[in-house]
Amino acid sequence: MEDDLETREELQSVLENFVAELYIAKNGREGLNLYREHRPDIVVTDIQMPEMNGLSMAADIKAINADQPIVILSAYNDVEYLFRSLELGIQHYITKPISIERLLNKLCDISEQLNWVHEVEKSRKLLEQYKLLVDAKAIVAKVNLNGTIVYANSYYCNLSGYSEAELLGQHYLFNIETGQATLIEDLETTVLAKKKWQGVLKQISKTGDTYVVDVTIVAIVNHQGDIEEFVALLVDITEQFKKFERLSIGLEQDLIQQNHYLREYESAMEVGTLLCVIDTTGTIISANQNFSALIHYTADELQGNSLCQLVQNCDEFKAEALNKALHQGHSSMIVNIKDKKGEQRVLSTVFVGIHNEQGDIHSIMALSQDITEIIQLHEEMIETQKELIYILGEVIENHSHETGSHIKRVALMSELIASKYGLDKEHSTMIKIASSLHDIGKVGLPHELLCKTGKLSADEYQIVKKHAEIGFNLLKQSEKPLIKMAATIAHQHHERYDGTGYPDGLFGADIALEARIVSIADVFDALCSKRVYKEPWPIEYILTYFESNKSSQFDPQLVDILIQNIDEILQIRKQLSGSNA
């Protein structure tokens, strides 16, 4: 949607070559009517339009479809509209003047995301069909951690003679025939160790008759490796068992029967599971078709090669997966595997030790779920948040005029100080990004105060001090960790270590560490830079200033880190020396 005729016609002439169907509107109301009629995959809209603006239209579209991808075309001075876009859950922005290349790249990225979502939905529906197939052909029950039955399919109800309502809430042993205590103890020990248990149990139906079932029970674990519930697959072998008793079938016949069910279970595993079996050194013994097809190898190409050759971090794989499985019987981890085409797949994998008759582990079964698309979608969402923050940082620069590359330098200096302080890479990176909004509150200050060349009056200074609270109020409603950190930095970066700062007079460690770090980077770069009201200070004067204000204005430990790493700090200024640097 675009109200400017020339821009609209230019975009139409370009986009017609890249999309299957294109709908053009000159205002928000016309665009909303087109959306209701055609439901396009992607909506692209300007903010400022007659009759109904782009954000009002976007709000109505989000009410119809909360997941609808919307691209906002925004000028740098549309700050309040950017925040409204964030509240609506809009993740895609293009700043004006419009770059056709950037717009096409954005549309391609969104199309890829939509394809990923469609594929995930397709997989989910396929899994639902598998579940329906299992329920239609197998006897299935689920038991929670308390041993209570929480699900029983119709086959189980028919076999036991109890209705679903009568089974749910019962302890799973309520209808077990007596005299099987040793078997039950082995069952519980095995499944609590997250191993598969298989055996024959005698149960009593509602009518009092005894029936015999071949039972396979597995623990269902979450992504952290904790047991959530247990699933039991049962096979009614009452008739076979009675024949066994009547005819005294020997061990050989019993072994044939077990092998039959083993082949059945292997066939079921082949349908919906990524399965790879390795020996105790990590060498691949076998891989099912799903696993080999996912990484574009044949089973024969994989057999005999080390799984370590495919895993991105071999040392971590050996320590966290292989060794734990060998010593504890099981393990789990997120495994990054490079396929035959050189592309990376991310697998959530459970490793289960397979024991021989002597009880020793002779091989390890790796059961995996492909979570590549989920990880990519998550990373795309994080990058969208970062992109919005950088856009807002540029808005602040444009509004303040004199800052030059100040925001970028403060971001990199804050990251360096955080890293030298001992924070991990993820935390340090978050501080770098969030610091870009430390002066976001200045968008609410009169422009003439920000550009004043002389000393501020007492009243003017009180107005300027309000930018800390303005910035906090702009950001505080977000639940996103990155924005919440930015809100804290915006609010507290003018607090002083001795409690004499503003707006709340916080003291020492009551000031958030992130704000203490950004405060030092902000003041250091400001003193180094030319402003409308001052010339840059010599570096020796600046270091003396920080030394003399340890424990009063600044955290003394962070001041020491600044001074000890001054060469790297100055290198950042050199690399990003703007016009006012």
Side-chain angles (χ1 to χ4, degrees):
M1 271 59 74
E2 170 64 56
D3 61 322
D4 181 70
L5 177 60
E6 183 178 349
T7 303
R8 191 165 68 245
E9 290 179 346
E10 180 182 355
L11 289 176
Q12 180 177 358
S13 65
V14 172
L15 294 178
E16 283 176 339
N17 299 315
F18 294 94
V19 300
E21 296 180 20
L22 181 66
Y23 308 101
I24 305 295
K26 59 180 178 294
N27 58 62
R29 191 168 305 284
E30 182 179 328
L32 181 59
N33 291 334
L34 283 173
Y35 179 81
R36 287 171 173 159
E37 180 180 356
H38 299 287
R39 298 295 176 91
D41 292 329
I42 305 172
V43 173
V44 181
T45 180
D46 195 357
I47 292 179
Q48 300 286 4
M49 291 192 297
E51 294 193 35
M52 173 187 284
N53 68 33
L55 290 184
S56 296
M57 181 197 69
D60 287 346
I61 289 176
K62 285 288 187 178
I64 298 171
N65 178 10
D67 297 324
Q68 174 63 47
I70 299 176
V71 179
I72 294 292
L73 306 180
S74 169
Y76 277 128
N77 58 357
D78 290 333
V79 178
E80 64 180 282
Y81 295 119
L82 288 174
F83 281 111
R84 176 59 179 150
S85 300
L86 185 63
E87 292 174 356
L88 291 173
I90 296 173
Q91 302 176 345
H92 309 287
Y93 309 85
I94 300 288
T95 55
K96 291 186 174 180
I98 300 170
S99 164
I100 296 298
E101 180 180 0
R102 187 178 180 193
L103 176 60
L104 291 176
N105 287 338
K106 176 66 71 176
L107 295 179
C108 287
D109 291 341
I110 295 173
S111 297
E112 289 182 3
Q113 292 180 35
L114 290 174
N115 288 335
W116 291 338
V117 170
H118 293 158
E119 286 300 317
V120 170
E121 180 63 17
K122 180 180 177 182
S123 298
R124 184 187 66 80
K125 290 182 178 179
L126 186 60
L127 288 175
E128 288 179 350
Q129 293 175 38
Y130 285 150
K131 179 181 179 299
L132 290 174
L133 180 61
V134 170
D135 274 345
K137 298 296 183 181
I139 303 168
V140 183
K142 289 184 181 181
V143 177
N144 65 18
L145 294 178
N146 296 322
T148 302
I149 298 173
V150 294
Y151 172 79
N153 70 351
S154 59
Y155 279 71
Y156 188 84
C157 295
N158 294 337
L159 180 64
S160 66
Y162 292 95
S163 68
E164 182 181 13
E166 290 172 321
L167 288 172
L168 298 183
Q170 294 278 8
H171 193 274
Y172 79 101
L173 296 178
F174 86 101
N175 64 339
I176 297 293
E177 188 173 87
T178 58
Q180 303 178 90
T182 302
L183 203 59
I184 297 300
E185 181 180 356
D186 177 62
L187 182 159
E188 293 180 343
T189 301
T190 302
V191 297
L192 288 174
K194 303 175 186 175
K195 302 176 183 177
K196 181 181 74 173
W197 184 86
Q198 184 178 359
V200 175
L201 292 176
K202 294 181 179 180
Q203 296 182 309
I204 302 174
S205 70
K206 186 176 181 180
T207 59
D209 297 327
T210 296
Y211 61 94
V212 185
V213 286
D214 188 317
V215 184
T216 300
I217 302 178
V218 294
I220 304 301
V221 298
N222 58 24
H223 66 283
Q224 296 174 329
D226 299 323
I227 297 175
E228 291 190 337
E229 61 182 1
F230 305 94
V231 175
L233 294 177
L234 300 86
V235 178
D236 181 10
I237 60 169
T238 305
E239 290 301 319
Q240 293 92 325
F241 191 83
K242 288 179 180 179
K243 290 178 182 179
F244 175 84
E245 290 184 319
R246 288 196 303 266
L247 302 175
S248 299
I249 298 177
L251 178 61
E252 181 179 353
Q253 183 62 35
D254 182 59
L255 184 59
I256 292 173
Q257 193 174 80
Q258 289 188 33
N259 285 335
H260 167 74
Y261 289 123
L262 179 59
R263 288 192 296 272
E264 290 292 305
Y265 296 145
E266 288 176 341
S267 177
M269 292 280 285
E270 184 71 26
V271 172
T273 305
L274 301 172
L275 175 62
C276 179
V277 180
I278 58 177
D279 65 18
T280 55
T281 67
T283 300
I284 298 173
I285 298 174
S286 65
N288 73 351
Q289 183 178 359
N290 287 344
F291 182 86
S292 56
L294 178 71
I295 58 176
H296 305 294
Y297 286 94
T298 65
D300 290 340
E301 287 176 323
L302 292 172
Q303 187 174 354
N305 291 314
S306 174
L307 186 58
C308 234
Q309 295 175 351
L310 303 176
V311 174
Q312 296 294 288
N313 191 333
C314 184
D315 292 337
E316 182 182 2
F317 163 71
K318 288 181 176 178
E320 296 298 321
L322 196 59
N323 289 340
K324 281 188 178 180
L326 290 173
H327 292 93
Q328 301 175 12
H330 60 86
S331 63
S332 61
M333 70 176 293
I334 302 298
V335 181
N336 293 306
I337 285 185
K338 182 174 290 187
D339 65 21
K340 192 174 183 179
K341 296 180 178 179
E343 299 175 353
Q344 182 170 290
R345 309 298 301 184
V346 184
L347 306 180
S348 176
T349 305
V350 175
F351 299 88
V352 181
I354 306 300
H355 297 77
N356 58 21
E357 294 179 355
Q358 290 73 40
D360 300 321
I361 293 178
H362 83 285
S363 61
I364 297 172
M365 181 179 293
L367 300 167
S368 302
Q369 178 184 4
D370 183 13
I371 60 172
T372 307
E373 285 77 14
I374 296 173
I375 295 297
Q376 289 172 338
L377 285 172
H378 177 72
E379 291 175 348
E380 178 68 21
M381 292 176 66
I382 295 298
E383 287 303 315
T384 299
Q385 291 184 40
K386 293 179 183 178
E387 181 179 353
L388 175 58
I389 288 175
Y390 286 135
I391 289 174
L392 292 176
E394 291 178 7
V395 170
I396 300 167
E397 284 191 333
N398 289 342
H399 187 68
S400 300
H401 286 298
E402 79 279 356
T403 57
S405 298
H406 172 68
I407 287 174
K408 296 183 180 69
R409 294 194 296 266
V410 168
L412 292 177
M413 291 177 186
S414 297
E415 180 185 35
L416 176 63
I417 294 171
S419 176
K420 298 296 183 181
Y421 183 82
L423 301 184
D424 60 36
K425 182 177 181 181
E426 181 179 1
H427 196 170
S428 301
T429 301
M430 285 184 68
I431 293 175
K432 176 184 72 172
I433 298 168
S435 72
S436 300
L437 300 182
H438 71 276
D439 273 340
I440 185 66
K442 286 184 178 180
V443 299
L445 299 182
H447 191 263
E448 58 270 17
L449 287 186
L450 296 176
C451 299
K452 185 174 180 179
T453 56
K455 184 176 181 180
L456 296 174
S457 68
D459 290 340
E460 289 172 334
Y461 181 57
Q462 291 302 316
I463 293 174
V464 170
K465 286 169 62 176
K466 291 181 180 180
H467 80 277
E469 291 186 281
I470 293 172
F472 177 68
N473 290 331
L474 284 172
L475 302 172
K476 67 180 182 181
Q477 298 301 326
S478 176
E479 291 300 319
K480 299 292 189 293
L482 202 56
I483 305 298
K484 290 178 71 173
M485 180 186 289
T488 299
I489 292 172
H491 197 218
Q492 299 181 12
H493 74 287
H494 282 295
E495 299 285 357
R496 292 172 60 97
Y497 201 72
D498 60 5
T500 63
Y502 67 86
D504 295 327
L506 299 179
F507 175 82
D510 291 338
I511 307 168
L513 174 61
E514 295 85 359
R516 283 180 270 149
I517 290 172
V518 174
S519 174
I520 286 183
D522 183 30
V523 173
F524 178 85
D525 192 71
L527 293 177
C528 287
S529 303
K530 181 179 179 180
R531 293 288 185 263
V532 293
Y533 52 84
K534 75 167 191 71
E535 292 298 320
W537 287 20
I539 187 61
E540 57 270 18
Y541 287 10
I542 296 174
L543 296 182
T544 300
Y545 176 82
F546 274 94
E547 280 285 4
S548 62
N549 283 276
K550 287 171 65 172
S551 302
S552 56
Q553 183 175 355
F554 306 111
D555 183 328
Q557 185 178 356
L558 296 177
V559 171
D560 290 340
I561 291 173
L562 172 75
I563 295 173
Q564 290 164 5
N565 297 277
I566 190 61
D567 290 341
E568 292 183 61
I569 295 289
L570 292 176
Q571 184 62 29
I572 291 172
R573 279 195 53 79
K574 182 178 179 181
Q575 291 173 347
L576 293 173
S577 55
S579 59
N580 296 323

